[in-house]
Amino acid sequence: MKRLRLPLVLTLAALTPGCSDPPDTPPSSEPSAWQVALDGGDLDRAVLSVWGSGPKDVFAVGGPLGNGRASLVVHFDGASFRELQPGGDQTYWWVSGSGPDDVWMVGEEGRITHWDGSTFTEHVSGTTATLWGVWAASKADAWAVGGTPEGGTGAPNDVILHWDGSAWTPVTLPGMPLGRAHYKVWGASSDDLYVVGEYGTIWHKKGAAWALESDPPLASGTLFTVAGCGPNEVYAVGTFDVLRSDGAAWQKVDVALTNGVNGVACNAPGEVLVVGFGGSKQRLDAGAWVDEFDVPPYADLHAAWADGTGTYWAVGGNFVTSSMPGAAREGIVARYGPGRITSQIAP
């Protein structure tokens, strides 16, 4: 039966139980399809970001969103999922890195955690604002962004931090303070960097100079995520907007969205995935957008990542605040690609 398309709401639409069949090694000729790898039966916290250094080194992070449970980090090594233990109860909102021994996780209360392949280390951020995004160019060059939604200039906002290999320091941009929360950061390089956020904000760093490329804003609302296939194909998404830059100018992308969108990821040039609420999934393939709203996963999807081989990952879950302390939120991890992977977390 075909599902009704739901309005934009911060609730979990539905969850499809993960398949319990053993994983297979996918032959290259096998067609790609969506698989719900982990769901509410495996995860009792929302999953808000996914990133990896390759198909056999994937991190999914999230947390309790105020429900008193522990911070969430799950790792996939190509054969099995395992939950790692960073400690704390802050929710991680984003994960990114420059390699398997250089992984950054950021989140609530200005938390910054680093994974070196075997050990978690906490770093001082200097802010109490939630850090919503992080991106790394190298072990000595990373960026984190954050802020307080709708807090204006009276709250910690306009947050941009830079890691130089020894410390995180704040970056002041032209015209600050603007009183805006910055949600994500991505770069083709550290000299070609983008930051997006509230009120359709788009900052672009070219070399040492920063320019506000959203004055006036092209987006109708907040931009939640930015990612690119390269310097000449960069996407920013949020609410009901999908924007594309060729490195010089932004324009709206003509795609029929089925729900509000949160995340975007690129594989090769021209291969893009946009995800959002109610299981909204749009793939750009061979110049055409493929709407996969009517196939699992049906959950609210917050983020996506592409592994560079044509495979995509998408994560999300139940973001609703519960009045019951310790109430589960139910996370989801899904994969689009050939074959199937394990559908449970190893003990």
Side-chain angles (χ1 to χ4, degrees), residues 61-139:
V61 306
L65 290 172
N67 280 14
R69 300 191 178 204
S71 306
L72 178 66
V73 178
V74 175
H75 181 252
F76 178 70
D77 64 5
S80 63
F81 288 99
R82 293 187 182 275
E83 183 174 348
L84 306 181
Q85 304 296 331
D89 60 2
Q90 295 89 354
T91 296
Y92 289 120
W93 278 89
W94 212 246
V95 57
S96 187
S98 66
D101 59 350
D102 182 38
V103 184
W104 295 98
M105 303 158 195
V106 301
E108 294 173 336
E109 301 174 12
R111 186 174 183 183
I112 300 179
T113 306
H114 184 261
W115 171 257
D116 66 3
S118 60
T119 304
F120 289 104
T121 303
E122 297 298 319
H123 285 249
V124 175
S125 68
T127 182
T128 59
T130 295
L131 295 174
W132 307 99
V134 65
W135 178 82
S138 70
K139 291 183 178 181

Side-chain angles (χ1 to χ4, degrees), residues 179-204:
R180 302 177 185 180
H182 294 146
Y183 282 115
K184 297 296 177 291
V185 54
W186 177 87
S189 70
S190 194
D191 287 328
D192 190 7
L193 194 73
Y194 293 86
V195 173
V196 300
E198 278 188 304
Y199 312 114
T201 296
I202 303 174
W203 286 100
H204 187 190

Side-chain angles (χ1 to χ4, degrees), residues 1-53:
M1 180 176 69
K2 190 173 184 178
R3 295 188 303 115
L4 295 176
R5 292 183 171 175
L6 302 179
L8 176 62
V9 290
L10 290 176
T11 58
L12 184 66
L15 285 172
T16 301
C19 176
S20 59
D21 294 337
D24 296 321
T25 300
S28 59
S29 61
E30 188 169 346
S32 292
W34 282 100
Q35 176 198 354
V36 177
L38 303 177
D39 61 14
D42 310 288
L43 298 164
D44 58 3
R45 286 147 290 173
V47 187
L48 300 174
S49 179
V50 58
W51 174 88
S53 66

Side-chain angles (χ1 to χ4, degrees), residues 74-327:
V74 175
H75 181 252
F76 178 70
D77 64 5
S80 63
F81 288 99
R82 293 187 182 275
E83 183 174 348
L84 306 181
Q85 304 296 331
D89 60 2
Q90 295 89 354
T91 296
Y92 289 120
W93 278 89
W94 212 246
V95 57
S96 187
S98 66
D101 59 350
D102 182 38
V103 184
W104 295 98
M105 303 158 195
V106 301
E108 294 173 336
E109 301 174 12
R111 186 174 183 183
I112 300 179
T113 306
H114 184 261
W115 171 257
D116 66 3
S118 60
T119 304
F120 289 104
T121 303
E122 297 298 319
H123 285 249
V124 175
S125 68
T127 182
T128 59
T130 295
L131 295 174
W132 307 99
V134 65
W135 178 82
S138 70
K139 291 183 178 181
D141 188 2
W143 301 79
V145 300
T148 309
E150 301 182 358
T153 56
N157 257 322
D158 306 305
V159 177
I160 298 181
L161 306 176
H162 180 243
W163 168 257
D164 62 4
S166 60
W168 287 92
T169 56
V171 176
T172 301
L173 302 190
M176 283 191 175
L178 297 178
R180 302 177 185 180
H182 294 146
Y183 282 115
K184 297 296 177 291
V185 54
W186 177 87
S189 70
S190 194
D191 287 328
D192 190 7
L193 194 73
Y194 293 86
V195 173
V196 300
E198 278 188 304
Y199 312 114
T201 296
I202 303 174
W203 286 100
H204 187 190
K205 177 180 179 287
K206 292 283 286 184
W210 290 85
L212 187 61
E213 295 187 340
S214 55
D215 190 13
L218 181 60
S220 57
T222 291
L223 292 171
F224 292 117
T225 305
V226 59
C229 307
N232 301 320
E233 187 179 358
V234 182
Y235 295 86
V237 304
T239 319
F240 283 89
D241 289 309
V242 177
L243 310 182
R244 183 186 186 277
S245 173
D246 60 5
W250 290 89
Q251 62 181 5
K252 288 194 173 184
V253 176
D254 185 14
V255 50
L257 299 175
T258 51
N259 243 332
V261 292
N262 297 314
V264 60
C266 284
N267 259 305
E271 297 179 1
V272 182
L273 171 66
V274 175
V275 299
F277 292 105
S280 178
K281 301 176 292 298
Q282 298 269 6
R283 281 189 304 107
L284 180 61
D285 184 18
W289 288 95
V290 180
D291 185 350
E292 295 174 312
F293 184 83
D294 292 325
V295 298
Y298 300 137
D300 292 335
L301 298 174
H302 185 263
W305 172 70
D307 72 2
T309 70
T311 294
Y312 295 104
W313 294 69
V315 298
N318 182 354
F319 311 138
V320 176
T321 300
S322 171
S323 60
M324 298 178 60

